[in-house]
Amino acid sequence: MIDWLMTLAAWQQALVGTAFTYGMTALGAGLVFLFKTIKKDILNLMLGFASGVMIAASFWSLLQPAIEQAEENNGLPSWLVVSIGFALGGIFLYIADHLLPHVHFGPNKEQEGLPTHLRRTILLVFSITLHNIPEGLAVGVAFGAAASAVNPTAAVMGALSVAIGIGIQNFPEGAAVSIPLRQEGMSRTKAFLYGQASGLVEPIAGVLGALLVTKVTVILPYALAFAAGAMIYVVIEELIPEAQQTTSSKNHYAVFGTMTGFIVMMILDVALG
């Protein structure tokens, strides 16, 4: 697998990696054909797991390499470069969050973003799609960074660990889209189609990210930190609050899910990267 990946261009590697993450989203969405409902505790566990994966990936797969890349450039201080990129990632998601029309799951959720007459189901999918942009970008930038690495094989292994980690957390994320749509009365087939559609943005973001950092290598540390900032924004703004919407005695589902996701991503990154 690694030997074959090494023969591909960075954007092609990113396409392969994000095709896997999309496939995991579709696979998770396919659970709607087996289940009609999803317990809140299980959903909280899934959201927590996704949060843990994204937090761990943000540091080991993105921020740490960004610091190393910034130190090699001998320009601005590495801490300043990474801070700028990280902040811009959060600002980008903040702006997108306030512009893209979307609504979160739950009976009392109000529409966010610009006013629109789109159906609620479309807005629900937009909500998850917004989360998937930084995930696809993270995979793409990681493969793009491998193209200029001193040890490209090890770097590709690290990028592959990012794709695997994001893919693993996309599985429950796909189910978290399709099954609630089924609960709201949508047919299983339509709920599946909407659920998998939320992951289509990842290959687009991944390829664009890889092309950008390979064509303009000076922005690589900024791009890595940017993806990390965007992912942390999603975790704090959306995933953790959603997972905590339950009685205080049940909050441990989200907590243990987060810790498990963090450990899984940490193991993947350290073992493969």
Side-chain angles (χ1 to χ4, degrees):
M1 176 65 176
I2 296 299
D3 291 339
W4 174 70
L5 276 177
M6 295 300 296
T7 65
L8 303 177
W11 72 267
Q12 294 172 319
Q13 294 171 344
L15 181 60
V16 171
T18 50
F20 168 74
T21 62
Y22 159 73
M24 292 296 288
T25 301
L27 196 61
L31 290 180
V32 74
F33 293 107
L34 302 177
F35 306 100
K36 185 177 180 179
T37 60
I38 181 171
K39 291 184 178 181
K40 180 59 177 172
D41 294 343
I42 301 301
L43 180 59
N44 291 344
L45 189 69
M46 291 177 173
L47 293 172
F49 182 86
S51 299
V53 168
M54 293 175 73
I55 293 170
S58 294
F59 175 71
W60 273 285
S61 304
L62 299 170
L63 287 177
Q64 188 177 43
I67 293 171
E68 294 171 356
Q69 288 283 341
E71 289 174 345
E72 293 175 4
N73 288 342
N74 297 320
L76 294 174
S78 59
W79 58 266
L80 180 59
V81 171
V82 173
S83 296
I84 292 172
F86 188 85
L88 289 176
I91 292 170
F92 170 78
L93 257 292
Y94 174 82
I95 294 173
D97 200 33
H98 284 73
L99 293 180
L100 181 68
H102 64 284
V103 63
H104 303 289
F105 293 103
N108 301 317
K109 294 292 185 179
E110 296 182 358
Q111 178 185 319
E112 299 178 14
L114 295 176
T116 181
H117 297 294
L118 292 173
R119 289 182 299 171
R120 174 179 164 83
T121 52
I122 300 295
L123 298 179
L124 287 170
V125 175
F126 279 178
S127 174
I128 303 299
T129 300
L130 188 61
H131 298 175
N132 288 342
I133 293 174
E135 295 173 11
L137 185 63
V139 176
V141 171
F143 277 110
S148 58
V150 176
N151 187 343
T153 301
V156 168
M157 287 285 287
L160 187 60
S161 73
V162 179
I164 293 173
I166 297 296
I168 291 173
Q169 67 97 24
N170 275 359
F171 180 79
E173 201 170 71
V177 178
S178 62
I179 294 178
L181 290 177
R182 174 60 178 161
Q183 288 179 254
E184 294 189 1
M186 185 176 288
S187 70
R188 283 188 171 88
T189 300
K190 290 189 69 175
F192 166 75
L193 291 175
Y194 279 114
Q196 61 83 34
S198 67
L200 288 173
V201 70
E202 289 194 10
I204 298 172
V207 170
L208 288 177
L211 286 173
L212 186 62
V213 298
T214 52
K215 298 297 182 182
V216 191
T217 56
V218 69
I219 69 166
L220 179 54
Y222 295 95
L224 287 165
F226 180 95
M231 289 175 70
I232 292 298
Y233 180 94
V234 168
V235 171
I236 299 174
E237 171 72 12
E238 306 292 352
L239 297 183
I240 290 179
E242 288 281 343
Q244 293 290 326
Q245 289 186 4
T246 183
T247 59
S248 58
S249 62
K250 295 294 185 69
N251 284 347
H252 60 272
Y253 282 93
V255 173
F256 288 134
T258 301
M259 294 181 69
T260 302
F262 188 96
I263 291 170
V264 168
M265 186 66 228
M266 179 178 63
I267 292 173
L268 280 173
D269 211 321
V270 174
L272 294 181

